[in-house]
Amino acid sequence: MTSRTARFYDHLDADIKAILLTQIRNLWTHHSTSLEGNSLTLGETDFILQEGLTIQGKPLKDHNEVYGHAKAIERIYGLLNTAKTIDKKDLFQLHETALTERIMDIDQPVGPWKVQSNYTTYVDENNKQVWREYPAPRHIDALMTQWLERLNGYFTPTLDRQAAAEAYADLHLSFVTIHPFFDGNGRLARLLANLPVLDAGLPPIVVPQEDRYRYKRCLSDYQNTVDDLSDLSDLSQLPDNQQKQQFVNLCQSYWAQTIELLDQANAMQQKRHPS
Ligand SMILES: Nc1ncnc2c1ncn2[C@@H]1O[C@H](COP(=O)(O)OP(=O)(O)O)[C@@H](O)[C@H]1O
Ligand SMILES: [Mg+2]
């Protein structure tokens, strides 16, 4: 499925590459788990993953989440190295890897799609709190089949930086708007939407946890432009509009953190091999 373009780290010496990939794993894991309530800092996340030790007084759940996310990143790189089309089974496996809290509850499946409706709430323009229901469970399989087709369609050798940001934003926005799982939708969207980005030879886009208000507001503003999300049964019903463009712009700005890490690694490489 992948286009076999060089990866963003391919030109680096093995030791420099290893450090860069560790830094990116820490950053991606910290920000994505923090966005959904994990209390561990970037430093603690790095310590846990590097040393295999725990942080006194911090929840076991938070430690497990960090491990789950780091393993899920390895799966993402692994998917890039397979020649096959990404399918439903890959998504279920990724969900099982990232969601380390196994509750034996048939209404909250880890692996398969959600079986119960899920909701969120937002404050509208009249300062009123309103319910929003995500697409109904009966529509999920068809919607995600279309979403996977879209994902696989983005693996082309011609994806430049602008097109990669657009692909990331499109996949991320549609995934979290479908909300196919009972939990873990944000983390999985932030992992999976990076597949075409990495395949295009670019470092991943990482949503900074400090920007959570703007990030979530942007998702909500976009979803406000769809009449009844619970009834969504076809991806083509999701509009390409100004709100979506705003999300594209936001995602582009979120590249700064990993680009900075890549620049630092390039500087180390340059110092070792002055040309
Ligand atoms: N309107 C919205 N407001 C806030 N977050 C939203 C909205 N729509 C989708 N999301 C996404 O839902 C995620 C939270 O869903 P959840 O299934 O709990 O995922 P996770 O457990 O990975 O955080 C957020 O991180 C965000 O990506
Ligand atoms: Mg959650």
Side-chain angles (χ1 to χ4, degrees):
M1 59 100 200
T2 59
S3 66
R4 302 266 157 223
T5 317
R7 304 286 177 248
F8 69 91
Y9 48 75
D10 273 352
H11 61 291
L12 297 169
D13 291 351
D15 57 336
I16 295 177
K17 169 184 151 180
I19 291 181
L20 174 64
L21 288 180
T22 299
Q23 291 176 331
I24 287 187
R25 177 203 65 189
N26 294 343
L27 188 85
W28 198 349
T29 296
H30 165 62
H31 285 278
S32 197
T33 55
S34 170
L35 273 171
E36 56 90 35
N38 194 297
S39 67
L40 297 160
T41 64
L42 176 63
E44 289 169 341
T45 302
D46 172 52
F47 178 76
I48 290 164
L49 293 174
Q50 290 296 101
E51 310 294 334
L53 292 170
T54 56
I55 307 292
Q56 196 178 12
K58 291 274 178 148
L60 177 62
K61 172 181 156 291
D62 290 4
H63 289 78
N64 286 338
E65 262 172 21
V66 158
Y67 267 109
H69 192 275
K71 277 200 212 124
I73 292 177
E74 278 172 27
R75 268 194 185 279
I76 289 287
Y77 287 121
L79 283 174
L80 281 176
N81 292 331
T82 60
K84 70 177 203 61
T85 303
I86 295 186
D87 59 22
K88 218 158 56 169
K89 216 174 98 216
D90 297 318
L91 265 55
F92 292 173
Q93 280 176 352
L94 196 71
H95 195 228
E96 281 177 2
T97 305
L99 258 80
T100 43
E101 293 298 292
R102 292 291 164 81
I103 323 158
M104 296 309 278
D105 182 345
I106 53 164
D107 291 331
Q108 302 192 334
V110 175
W113 309 135
K114 68 188 178 190
V115 292
Q116 282 188 338
S117 303
N118 42 12
Y119 314 85
T120 183
T121 179
Y122 66 98
V123 179
D124 75 3
E125 57 285 1
N126 303 315
N127 228 19
K128 211 171 150 242
Q129 300 198 74
V130 190
W131 283 80
R132 178 181 294 125
E133 184 176 347
Y134 290 114
R138 68 179 184 283
H139 295 315
I140 299 300
D141 199 55
L143 285 169
M144 288 307 292
T145 301
Q146 293 180 327
W147 187 89
L148 280 161
E149 270 168 32
R150 215 183 257 198
L151 166 68
N152 286 301
Y154 281 127
F155 297 112
T156 74
T158 53
L159 213 66
D160 61 14
R161 231 184 111 149
Q162 176 63 27
E166 284 168 12
Y168 175 90
D170 178 40
L171 291 168
H172 187 146
L173 190 56
S174 53
F175 191 99
V176 296
T177 300
I178 299 170
H179 231 74
F181 295 110
F182 91 94
D183 190 23
N185 296 287
R187 278 167 286 170
L188 256 72
R190 294 185 289 271
L191 286 162
L192 288 161
N194 268 313
L195 280 166
V197 174
L198 295 166
D199 186 55
L202 297 158
I205 294 175
V206 172
V207 179
Q209 58 91 9
E210 299 85 358
D211 208 42
R212 69 183 69 205
Y213 179 76
R214 209 150 55 116
Y215 162 64
K216 292 189 175 182
R217 184 82 226 176
C218 202
L219 297 177
S220 189
D221 286 348
Y222 176 74
Q223 289 159 3
N224 262 346
T225 67
V226 183
D227 257 355
D228 182 4
L229 216 49
S230 71
D231 225 22
L232 188 84
S233 60
D234 195 295
L235 263 197
S236 65
Q237 292 166 321
L238 286 179
D240 271 327
N241 54 21
Q242 194 201 331
Q243 284 77 4
K244 182 169 175 178
Q245 189 51 47
Q246 263 164 12
F247 190 63
V248 175
N249 298 343
L250 206 55
C251 292
Q252 227 154 6
S253 73
Y254 291 159
W255 239 322
Q257 297 189 95
T258 56
I259 298 218
E260 190 189 339
L261 292 177
L262 178 58
D263 286 348
Q264 284 177 21
N266 282 334
M268 296 311 291
Q269 178 88 4
Q270 177 70 25
K271 200 170 150 197
R272 184 182 284 173
H273 306 282
S275 48

